[in-house]
């Protein structure tokens, strides 16, 4: 049998996706049930427990192919956006909806029960959440699922950000959260993925996947390359984005937040902790 990456392969000893039959070993192979993520954000965990490690987060509008439900409120399957596999709370999933028309372009926005900012919000939506707008009421977009969102916080689907680094820089000060992907908490590879996706570039979830799959290598000179804005710097289990030739932005556990700092200081500090800069990769965006 082929050795597949378990992070992106929907296969366990007891159950696996039908398309993997003959490629992996499992007691049974099933067709997945396509679901929509209907919660603003939902934790995808390694095990079906609320205190299990957080691998990543699903965002409103994501698609999830469910292959198993444990009867205790958890669904196991695979995100369509980046292929990550894990357990989601079943309550965060619903039937497939019509295609979204807009995405949230603010770091976070509110959903109001009517077209007034004086009304108490019913929920908040993170950057990148995808919704279907069916009408406009003054300064508000009316969601197909119900609720009113400030129209200026939205962008049409397909309208890409011109500068993904500027998106990452907007997250400065966001607390560091392993597995996080929102302004409530985010990790290093989540920041890269969220920023690149906003610019129309598909990105894997984890830093090692990003190092293998994004851009072209740039030769290192004197411990660091001649950086361009948007270059990605990789260490073992860590990634940062170049703001310019001398500064980087990254979510990191040293600051416990997204921070901008001089690149040479970061390289020295991380090397002192036991990890040398491994590579720099340059990518082209569609924005």
């Amino acid at each position: 049998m082929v050795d597949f990456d378990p992070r992106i392969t929907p296969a366990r000893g007891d159950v696996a996706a039908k398309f993997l039959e003959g490629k992996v070993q499992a007691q049974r192979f099933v067709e997945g049930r396509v679901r929509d993520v209907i919660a603003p954000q939902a934790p995808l965990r390694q095990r079906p427990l609320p205190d299990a490690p957080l691998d990543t987060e699903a965002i409103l509008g994501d698609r999830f192919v469910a292959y198993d439900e444990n009867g205790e409120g958890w669904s196991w399957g695979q995100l369509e956006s980046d292929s990550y596999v894990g357990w989601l709370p079943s309550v965060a999933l619903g039937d497939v909806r019509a295609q979204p028309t807009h995405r949230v372009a603010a770091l976070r926005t509110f959903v109001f029960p009517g077209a007034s900012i004086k009304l108490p919000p019913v929920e908040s939506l993170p950057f990148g959440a995808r919704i279907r707008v069916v009408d406009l009421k003054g300064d508000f977009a009316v969601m197909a699922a119900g609720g009113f969102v400030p129209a200026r916080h939205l962008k049409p689907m397909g309208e890409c950000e011109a500068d993904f680094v500027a998106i990452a820089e907007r997250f400065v000060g966001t607390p560091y959260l392993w597995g996080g992907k929102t302004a409530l908490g985010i990790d290093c590879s989540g920041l890269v993925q969220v920023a690149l996706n906003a610019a129309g570039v598909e990105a894997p979830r984890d830093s090692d996947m990003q190092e293998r799959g994004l851009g072209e290598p740039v030769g290192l000179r004197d411990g660091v390359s001649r950086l361009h804005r948007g270059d990605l710097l990789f260490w073992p289990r860590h990634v940062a984005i170049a703001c310019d030739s001398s500064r980087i932005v990254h979510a990191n556990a040293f600051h416990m937040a997204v921070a901008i700092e001089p690149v040479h200081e970061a390289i020295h500090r991380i090397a002192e902790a036991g990890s040398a800069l491994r590579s720099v990769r340059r990518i082209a965006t569609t924005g």
Side-chain angles (χ1 to χ4, degrees), residues 3-280:
D3 186 19
F4 291 98
D5 187 336
R7 294 171 295 178
I8 55 174
T9 306
R12 307 191 319 239
D14 60 333
V15 64
K18 185 71 173 178
F19 70 84
L20 291 171
E21 192 166 8
K23 300 176 182 178
V24 302
Q25 293 182 340
Q27 295 175 13
R28 60 190 177 97
F29 294 87
V30 299
E31 297 287 354
R33 180 186 177 192
V34 180
R35 311 297 305 281
D36 271 3
V37 175
I38 60 173
Q41 64 194 82
L44 187 142
R45 301 191 185 277
Q46 294 179 16
R47 299 187 304 277
L49 296 168
D51 59 352
L54 177 67
D55 278 343
T56 188
E57 290 182 297
I59 304 300
L60 177 68
D62 282 344
R63 286 270 166 90
F64 182 76
V65 184
Y67 294 100
D68 188 28
E69 293 186 32
N70 70 354
E72 298 180 358
W74 294 87
S75 296
W76 179 80
Q78 184 173 39
L79 288 170
E80 284 192 351
S81 57
D82 60 16
S83 299
Y84 225 96
V85 171
W87 292 90
L88 279 176
S90 298
V91 70
L93 301 171
D95 293 335
V96 173
R97 297 173 172 179
Q99 288 294 321
T101 60
H102 292 74
R103 63 176 177 85
V104 174
L107 289 187
R108 187 160 286 272
T109 192
F110 289 114
V111 179
F112 295 91
S116 171
I117 60 173
K118 296 182 180 180
L119 295 172
V122 295
E123 63 183 1
S124 64
L125 303 179
F127 182 89
R130 298 186 292 276
I131 65 173
R132 185 170 184 84
V133 173
V134 295
D135 198 4
L136 291 174
K137 295 288 186 182
D139 294 331
F140 288 87
V142 184
M143 299 168 55
F148 294 71
V149 179
R152 67 182 59 196
H153 285 176
L154 303 176
K155 283 195 175 183
M157 294 295 297
E159 183 177 319
C160 299
E161 300 287 348
D163 181 4
F164 84 92
V165 185
I167 297 300
E169 291 168 339
R170 287 170 57 189
F171 280 84
V172 167
T174 296
Y176 180 85
L177 175 65
W178 182 277
K181 285 180 58 175
T182 78
L184 294 180
I186 200 164
D187 66 14
C188 64
S189 55
L191 180 67
V192 170
Q193 186 186 54
V194 167
L196 281 173
N197 285 351
V201 179
E202 294 185 2
R205 178 58 178 91
D206 292 343
S207 61
D208 63 319
M209 300 174 179
Q210 293 170 353
E211 186 175 17
R212 291 193 302 268
L214 293 174
E216 299 295 333
V218 176
L220 300 178
R221 301 167 185 262
D222 301 322
V224 66
S225 68
R226 294 179 178 175
L227 293 177
H228 291 183
R229 183 172 175 84
D231 286 351
L232 301 180
L233 294 80
F234 290 95
W235 293 262
R237 299 174 300 280
H238 188 58
V239 60
I241 305 168
C243 300
D244 51 39
S245 62
S246 62
R247 299 176 304 143
I248 58 172
V249 58
H250 58 151
N252 67 93
F254 177 79
H255 295 97
M256 281 306 295
V258 177
I260 294 176
E261 64 176 317
V263 63
H264 288 287
E265 289 185 13
I267 289 173
H268 177 74
R269 184 185 70 251
I270 297 172
E272 287 287 303
S275 295
L277 181 66
R278 187 161 61 190
S279 69
V280 176

